[in-house]
Amino acid sequence: MHTVSSPNSVLANALGAVEDVLTPHLHPVRPRRVELSVGTQINGVPHIGTSLVQSLTFALAARIRDRFDLPVQVVFGALDNAPHETLTDPASGHVYQRALAQAFDPAAVLKQVEGLYRPLFDALSTRTAVPYRIETYSRQQATAGFRATWLRLLPRLESARWWLAPPTGTPHLRVPCPAAGCGWAEKHAERTRVEFSGQQATVGAVCVHHGPYESVISPDGRGYLDLSTLYRNVVKELTTQLIPDTLSVMVKGADWMSGTQLVNGALQAVGLTLGQIPARIFGPQIVTLTGAKLSKSLIRNNQAESLADEDAWMLDTRKWPGSADTYAARLLDANTVLLSHPRHFFRDYSTEEFARLMDTKTRSYSAT
């Protein structure tokens, strides 16, 4: 019989249950509903770390609903602005990238999301009775709320730029080249310039193939506004302030914990108080034998330690030996263990340890 022994920590010792991290947000605001957001770059097949965070989002939503008697919903952010290919301009040395959204038509992107994520989300939603919706980044960036938030942020960007881009102070804003069939954008925004005027901004950039171009970004959805990871999260989290009577909770893997010090710095630099920063929950991280996060980039570069054949599904969840529903059931069983005590939740798990957790429904667990 396998037993999970988890060490104590400052955070775990302060909590009675995992969802207690939300009480400082819930009590002052008294929201009428809670929306939990979980995002994933969709430029690779999901692995066990991706599935774990997604399943925990549903399990947490159910606990919040039952404990606080509040309606809940999960929002899956399908990040189709994830890089698909990159190249280096031999003349300037600048790196260019083309994202999934520019390399493929929307129907192809939607088909990938539907094939890789919808079956698991449907099963998780059915088993937890938690509704969800899918929102691609392309759709999000085109909304009036996201655009208006970015436009309001521009005049204050000077105070936040070193938080968003510590090495250079130049936050990475990418507007893909509008030439037919192109879509390339300068990855690090070295030659990208923004002119703000009234209710819109004109972005000037240089394409590796077509030279200088301009793109107008306005609330009506014109142009394509691609922001780097930190920049995008700041705009997204500022946008949540526009949703009335709703507590927005960002659910992320523990690898994001250190990165949010930069996001928080930027949010406070543009005027938010600590109490206005959206609530966040950082779930356990799946790590390899070296202690490194199990990541799509390591898998793509064949740098992730090989697993036994029967555990190949941990690197590619399509190889799970069963249905999406049985996969969801095993994940939720494992979630029950992780959520049974804060010590089990606020820690990392090796691939081997988590494979054992997924192996059975009935185990004995202890927090030590």
Side-chain angles (χ1 to χ4, degrees):
M1 185 172 291
H2 182 56
T3 301
V4 172
S5 296
S6 300
N8 198 5
S9 66
V10 172
L11 180 58
N13 196 48
L15 305 176
V18 172
E19 64 271 19
D20 285 339
V21 298
L22 299 180
T23 57
H25 296 272
L26 286 164
H27 284 287
V29 176
R30 302 289 182 182
R32 295 185 180 180
R33 60 191 296 272
V34 178
E35 189 171 85
L36 295 90
S37 296
V38 59
T40 300
Q41 288 192 335
I42 59 171
N43 58 344
V45 297
H47 57 68
I48 184 59
T50 303
S51 295
L52 173 59
V53 176
Q54 292 168 349
S55 62
L56 277 169
T57 305
F58 280 89
L60 282 164
R63 287 171 68 97
I64 292 167
R65 175 197 62 209
D66 296 343
R67 177 174 171 181
F68 299 105
D69 192 26
L70 289 169
V72 295
Q73 179 178 231
V74 168
V75 180
F76 172 50
L79 302 178
D80 58 344
N81 65 327
H84 173 65
E85 52 189 338
T86 61
L87 62 81
T88 301
D89 179 5
S92 66
H94 294 171
V95 179
Y96 282 77
Q97 74 173 43
R98 189 158 66 153
L100 285 173
Q102 280 70 55
F104 301 98
D105 63 59
V109 173
L110 181 60
K111 183 178 179 180
Q112 179 164 328
V113 174
E114 292 285 330
L116 292 178
Y117 298 99
R118 178 76 74 176
L120 176 60
F121 273 67
D122 282 347
L124 291 169
S125 179
T126 297
R127 285 184 167 272
T128 59
V130 171
Y132 77 95
R133 62 183 172 87
I134 294 176
E135 183 176 63
T136 64
Y137 174 77
S138 291
R139 179 179 177 182
Q140 181 186 62
Q141 64 82 34
T143 61
F146 192 92
R147 295 294 183 92
T149 299
W150 179 69
L151 289 168
R152 287 197 301 270
L153 175 63
L154 280 181
R156 304 181 182 183
L157 197 59
E158 178 64 28
S159 61
R161 65 189 186 97
W162 289 105
W163 289 104
L164 296 175
T168 63
T170 302
H172 299 168
L173 160 66
R174 309 180 188 103
V175 288
C177 174
C182 188
W184 287 92
E186 199 171 45
K187 184 175 180 65
H188 301 124
E190 292 99 336
R191 294 180 291 187
T192 299
R193 300 291 179 266
V194 183
E195 292 185 4
F196 175 69
S197 176
Q199 296 301 309
Q200 67 180 33
T202 301
V203 183
V206 181
C207 176
V208 64
H209 298 302
H210 300 100
Y213 63 92
E214 289 187 345
S215 180
V216 174
I217 307 296
S218 59
D220 64 8
R222 281 187 295 165
Y224 191 96
L225 178 63
D226 186 11
L227 305 174
S228 63
T229 302
L230 295 178
Y231 202 172
R232 179 185 71 244
N233 273 267
V234 165
V235 176
K236 174 186 173 181
E237 295 188 8
L238 285 171
T239 305
T240 65
Q241 306 294 313
L242 304 176
I243 307 175
D245 301 322
T246 300
L247 176 67
S248 296
V249 181
M250 309 299 161
V251 184
K252 299 177 181 291
D255 58 302
W256 250 100
M257 191 175 297
S258 55
T260 53
Q261 64 181 310
L262 297 175
V263 176
N264 290 351
L267 290 171
Q268 292 181 59
V270 299
L272 264 64
T273 65
L274 186 59
Q276 292 174 316
I277 292 175
R280 300 192 185 100
I281 295 181
F282 300 99
Q285 186 173 237
I286 304 297
V287 299
T288 66
L289 296 177
T290 67
K293 169 194 171 186
L294 184 68
S295 70
K296 289 193 290 288
S297 58
L298 290 182
I299 294 170
R300 282 196 300 266
N301 296 329
N302 294 317
Q303 292 177 302
E305 289 82 355
S306 61
L307 300 174
D309 291 341
E310 62 269 21
D311 290 331
W313 59 268
M314 300 195 80
L315 299 181
D316 181 348
T317 60
R318 296 174 301 178
K319 297 179 180 179
W320 170 261
S323 67
D325 186 63
T326 62
Y327 184 50
R330 290 288 184 88
L331 283 166
L332 291 172
D333 287 335
N335 289 175
T336 298
V337 177
L338 303 185
L339 290 164
S340 67
H341 197 288
R343 295 181 189 178
H344 294 329
F345 190 88
F346 296 107
R347 53 158 291 185
D348 295 338
Y349 288 85
S350 69
T351 51
E352 289 184 351
E353 180 73 355
F354 202 76
R356 286 193 286 268
L357 278 174
M358 289 282 285
D359 190 47
T360 182
K361 293 183 179 180
T362 307
R363 296 295 192 191
S364 176
Y365 304 99
S366 65
T368 58

